[in-house]
Amino acid sequence: MRFLLDDEQREFARTLDALLSASDTSRAARAWAAGDHAPGLALWSRLAEAGVFALAVPEAYEGLGPLPVELAVAFTELGRHAVPGPLVETVAAAALLHRLDDDGAASAWLPRVAAGKATVSLGVLTLTGPYALDADVADAVLVVEDDTLRLADSAGPVQPSADPARRLARPLGGTVLARGPAVAAATAYAAEVAALATAAQSLGLGRALLDRTVAYVGQRTQFGVPVGSFQAVKHRLADTLIALEFARPLLYAAALALAEHGTAPREIAAAKVTAGEAAHAAARTALQLHGAVGYTEELDLSLWIRKARPLRDAWGTPAVCRARVLAP
């Protein structure tokens, strides 16, 4: 079976690519890592105008969705351009509030999410540990512990992260919003949406790393010829491309399954582990083929390289995803 985007979906991807290419996302990511959120939030508003967050919000709450395939298309572009912020967590929180069927909480937050007027972080203790992404800047931080959902009062200090633009903080206190089996069921769905979006980010990230590396080895010379002409370099790049291209249909197959069935744990887990491992391999390839310059933080490449492993492990480590795929 072939999983190809239709013309409208491809045009949506091109539109987002053009928007982000003109937005200096590298500067926004560096500012975000330094605690200056203004450029990132301005970019957030432009993404909302393009309909990105509305894809996760039902029409009843002023959204366009849920549209998992379009969400995968959007997050691939967000990963390609290393856009900072709790992007995955916001759409996952929207999915949780929608599935929870609590009209009070949904009415309070989902229209704001769709319009880009609220950033939301989500922490699920069994998946994210005690920390939530960008809890220091989010308008709301939702925390799920066992079968209890609460809205955190505040956040602790930002903790060091492998990716400086992924700012982790411990949610503190909070008001209980809901308890019971409905919370567990809604959280399971939200975790699937988060894993799908993270897989899409990884795929876009890997393609950006590959494209930048191909361009670099075509310019860098050794023994009077471009290093990209060396057979070993060609093989390394070809392996990276094959891994990324293998992940692409798995991602769209998972998105289709989620759209059709409302749940797709195995398909999403397969896409997550494949895209995450492919992006991580692309980061290693980029680091090696860029040589000593690849280790420098001054080079924008570092913004992509340092995201690869955190994205690979977020919302389901490779071990967790493989176990889910193989579960009876």
Side-chain angles (χ1 to χ4, degrees):
M1 185 178 293
R2 300 174 68 196
F3 299 101
L4 298 175
L5 301 178
D6 61 28
D7 291 341
E8 187 174 344
Q9 291 162 342
R10 286 195 292 270
E11 181 58 30
F12 181 46
R14 286 192 291 268
T15 299
L16 288 179
D17 181 41
L19 184 157
L20 295 170
S21 296
S23 298
D24 196 359
T25 56
S26 296
R27 183 178 73 87
R30 290 187 183 279
W32 194 276
D36 176 9
H37 302 112
L41 292 176
L43 180 56
W44 190 285
S45 296
R46 291 195 290 275
L47 290 170
E49 291 173 2
V52 169
F53 303 110
L55 297 172
V57 177
E59 293 182 9
Y61 297 100
E62 302 177 26
L64 301 171
L67 296 172
V69 176
E70 285 74 11
L71 202 65
V73 171
F75 273 79
T76 299
E77 295 304 318
L78 298 180
R80 186 193 300 273
H81 291 274
V83 178
L87 302 156
V88 167
E89 288 68 24
T90 293
V91 298
L96 187 153
L97 292 174
H98 165 50
R99 279 295 181 96
L100 190 59
D101 200 25
D102 180 342
D103 191 60
S107 296
W109 289 105
L110 292 185
R112 296 177 61 192
V113 168
K117 298 184 182 300
T119 59
V120 185
S121 190
L122 174 64
V124 179
L125 295 190
T126 56
L127 290 173
T128 64
Y131 298 104
L133 182 66
D134 295 315
D136 61 322
V137 68
D139 296 295
V141 180
L142 301 179
V143 181
V144 178
E145 184 173 7
D146 298 324
D147 63 349
T148 300
L149 172 67
R150 61 186 172 90
L151 177 65
D153 291 329
S154 59
V158 174
Q159 302 297 313
S161 172
D163 174 10
R166 290 178 63 84
R167 297 165 57 84
L168 303 173
R170 187 190 298 266
L172 302 174
T175 302
V176 174
L177 298 181
R179 281 196 178 97
V183 171
T187 300
Y189 174 69
E192 288 188 49
V193 172
L196 179 71
T198 303
Q201 274 190 317
S202 292
L203 179 62
L205 174 82
R207 286 308 306 249
L209 285 165
L210 178 60
D211 292 345
R212 287 168 177 260
T213 304
V214 168
Y216 180 75
V217 299
Q219 298 169 357
R220 179 185 171 195
T221 61
Q222 193 172 21
F223 308 116
V225 297
V227 296
S229 65
F230 299 161
Q231 199 70 12
V233 172
K234 290 180 179 180
H235 285 172
R236 186 71 181 267
L237 293 172
D239 289 343
T240 302
L241 175 61
I242 289 170
L244 291 167
E245 286 302 303
F246 184 74
R248 185 186 302 276
L250 291 179
L251 174 68
Y252 293 136
L256 281 171
L258 185 63
E260 292 177 1
H261 307 298
T263 185
R266 288 188 179 181
E267 293 90 341
I268 291 174
K272 174 70 169 58
V273 67
T274 306
E277 294 283 34
H280 192 233
R284 294 198 305 269
T285 296
L287 185 64
Q288 181 178 11
L289 297 186
H290 275 78
V293 72
Y295 288 89
T296 63
E297 287 194 6
E298 291 76 13
L299 187 69
D300 281 349
L301 184 77
S302 67
L303 300 173
W304 279 259
I305 287 178
R306 297 182 73 167
K307 284 185 180 298
R309 184 163 185 173
L311 286 179
R312 185 194 68 174
D313 295 341
W315 294 103
T317 64
V320 167
C321 290
R322 289 189 176 98
R324 192 166 293 158
V325 171
L326 297 173

